[in-house]
C-alpha cells in the first residue's frame, strides 16, 4: 500500500522504501546542502546554472554518506530510452531517461523537480533500474521500457518491486484539458486519473498513471510503494519547478545501487 512521508534514519534525510530494502537507495530532498537561491540547498545537478563550488560540496557530502559508489546519470530528454550501465560506463551523460544495471557498486541516479522518479529492483535476480517519468516520458512509455530493459538482464516483472518517489501531486498538477484528453487517448485507463479543474483545465495524477503502467507491465500491485509528498506542496523540502514559478531550480536526485 502507499505510504507517504516515510522518512527514516537514511543519510541526508533521504526517503526510502521498504519495497527496496536490501538495495542502497534514496530519494534525496533539497535540505542539507550548500547551494543558495533557487538551488538551495542540496542541488546535485551540475548543468542547471548552480555554482561549481556548492555543487561539489553537495557531492562531497553525498559521497561521504554513500561511500564506494560510482554514479551514473543520463541527460534527460523526456523520452523512453533506457541505457544499460556496467563496468566501462564512462562519466558521460548520454541522452535518455532511464538506466538499468545488474552490477553492484553503481548508483543509477535520476534528477527531478516535479517529474516522477521511479526506482525498481528485482532483488532476487539483482537487477535494478532508475527512471525519470515526466508527462512526456509517461506517454512515451518509460515505465514499461524500464521493465523490459530489466527483463533483458534477467529480471522477472512479477518479481520486481518499485518505489514511486516525490513528485508533483494531483493536488497541484493542473494542465490544459487538451493534455488530459491526450493522456486519456494515448494511455488506456488514464482518463480515470484526471479530474476537472478550472474551465479548460484538469488535474492529472501522474504518479497514479505510472503506478497503473507498472502494474500493466507485470508488477505485483502490492510491490509498488509511493514515497514522499507532493513536491509543490512540500516545496520547502523538495525542489519544485512549479513551486518556484516555472524558473530553473535545483534538482533532487533519486538513486539506487545493488549492495555489494
Ligand atoms: Zn500539491
Amino acid at each position: 500500500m502507499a505510504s507517504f512521508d516515510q522518512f527514516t534514519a537514511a543519510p541526508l534525510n533521504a526517503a526510502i522504501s521498504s519495497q527496496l530494502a536490501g538495495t542502497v537507495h534514496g530519494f534525496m530532498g533539497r535540505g542539507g546542502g550548500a547551494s543558495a537561491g533557487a538551488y538551495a540547498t542540496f542541488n546535485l545537478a551540475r548543468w542547471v546554472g548552480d555554482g561549481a563550488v556548492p555543487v561539489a560540496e553537495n557531492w562531497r557530502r553525498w559521497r561521504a554518506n554513500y561511500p564506494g559508489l560510482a554514479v551514473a546519470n543520463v541527460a534527460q530528454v523526456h523520452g523512453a530510452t533506457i541505457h544499460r550501465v556496467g563496468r566501462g560506463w564512462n562519466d558521460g551523460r548520454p541522452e535518455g531517461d532511464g538506466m538499468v544495471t545488474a552490477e553492484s557498486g553503481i548508483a543509477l541516479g535520476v534528477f527531478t523537480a516535479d517529474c516522477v522518479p521511479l526506482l525498481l529492483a528485482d532483488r532476487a535476480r539483482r537487477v535494478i533500474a532508475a527512471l525519470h517519468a515526466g508527462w512526456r516520458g509517461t506517454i512515451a512509455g518509460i515505465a514499461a521500457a524500464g521493465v523490459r530493459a530489466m527483463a533483458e538482464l534477467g529480471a522477472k516483472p512479477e518479481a520486481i518491486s518499485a518505489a514511486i518517489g516525490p513528485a508533483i501531486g494531483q493536488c497541484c498538477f493542473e494542465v490544459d484539458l487538451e493534455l488530459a484528453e491526450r493522456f486519456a487517448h494515448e494511455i488506456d485507463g488514464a482518463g480515470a486519473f484526471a479530474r476537472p479543474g478550472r474551465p479548460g483545465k484538469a488535474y492529472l495524477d501522474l504518479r497514479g498513471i505510472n503506478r497503473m503502467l507498472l502494474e500493466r507491465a507485470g508488477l505485483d500491485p502490492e510491490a509498488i510503494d509511493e514515497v514522499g509528498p507532493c513536491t509543490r506542496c512540500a516545496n520547502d523540502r523538495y525542489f519544485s519547478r512549479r513551486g518556484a514559478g516555472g524558473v530553473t531550480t535545483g534538482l533532487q536526485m533519486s538513486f539506487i545501487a545493488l549492495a555489494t
Side-chain angles (χ1 to χ4, degrees):
M1 284 302 294
S3 55
F4 294 94
D5 270 308
Q6 186 183 67
F7 294 93
T8 71
L12 295 166
N13 290 322
I16 61 173
S17 166
S18 58
Q19 289 295 339
L20 301 176
T23 71
V24 182
H25 72 279
F27 296 96
M28 310 307 301
R30 70 184 295 177
S35 298
Y39 310 106
T41 61
F42 201 71
N43 169 54
L44 291 167
R46 300 182 179 90
W47 52 89
V48 293
D50 194 1
V53 171
V55 175
E57 170 60 18
N58 292 341
W59 273 108
R60 189 194 67 71
R61 292 180 195 182
W62 188 87
R63 290 184 192 286
N65 281 279
Y66 298 99
L69 291 176
V71 182
N73 305 140
V74 286
Q76 298 170 189
V77 292
H78 296 279
T81 298
I82 312 288
H83 291 275
R84 191 179 292 185
V85 177
R87 310 264 175 255
W89 174 266
N90 64 33
D91 258 343
R93 295 172 53 238
E95 285 192 353
D97 291 89
M99 290 157 284
V100 294
T101 192
E103 296 184 25
S104 60
I106 304 172
L108 311 177
V110 292
F111 290 81
T112 60
D114 284 342
C115 290
V116 182
L118 304 171
L119 301 178
L120 297 86
D122 180 335
R123 291 174 287 174
R125 292 164 193 82
R126 294 179 61 81
V127 180
I128 55 172
L131 312 174
H132 158 252
W135 70 259
R136 290 183 185 83
T138 299
I139 286 181
I142 182 90
V147 172
R148 277 197 304 275
M150 290 177 73
E152 287 170 11
L153 286 177
K156 292 199 183 310
E158 64 273 22
I160 295 173
S161 52
I164 302 171
I168 195 162
Q170 187 171 30
C171 44
C172 293
F173 193 38
E174 185 184 53
V175 301
D176 289 339
L177 203 51
E178 289 74 22
L179 181 59
E181 287 168 351
R182 185 173 158 198
F183 263 91
H185 180 72
E186 299 203 20
I187 301 175
D188 188 30
F193 294 89
R195 61 174 172 76
R198 296 177 293 164
K201 301 284 185 181
Y203 290 93
L204 273 185
D205 179 3
L206 203 52
R207 290 207 286 195
I209 293 171
N210 275 284
R211 168 186 280 274
M212 176 184 74
L213 293 173
L214 288 172
E215 292 176 11
R216 200 167 286 168
L219 273 66
D220 177 352
E222 295 294 319
I224 304 173
D225 196 8
E226 290 182 34
V227 177
C230 163
T231 46
R232 191 179 185 216
C233 288
N235 197 195
D236 57 328
R237 288 184 287 146
Y238 291 94
F239 292 111
S240 168
R241 175 163 273 221
R242 286 205 178 197
V247 302
T248 299
T249 67
L251 300 172
Q252 51 240 347
M253 185 172 76
S254 301
F255 72 95
I256 185 168
L258 289 165
T260 50

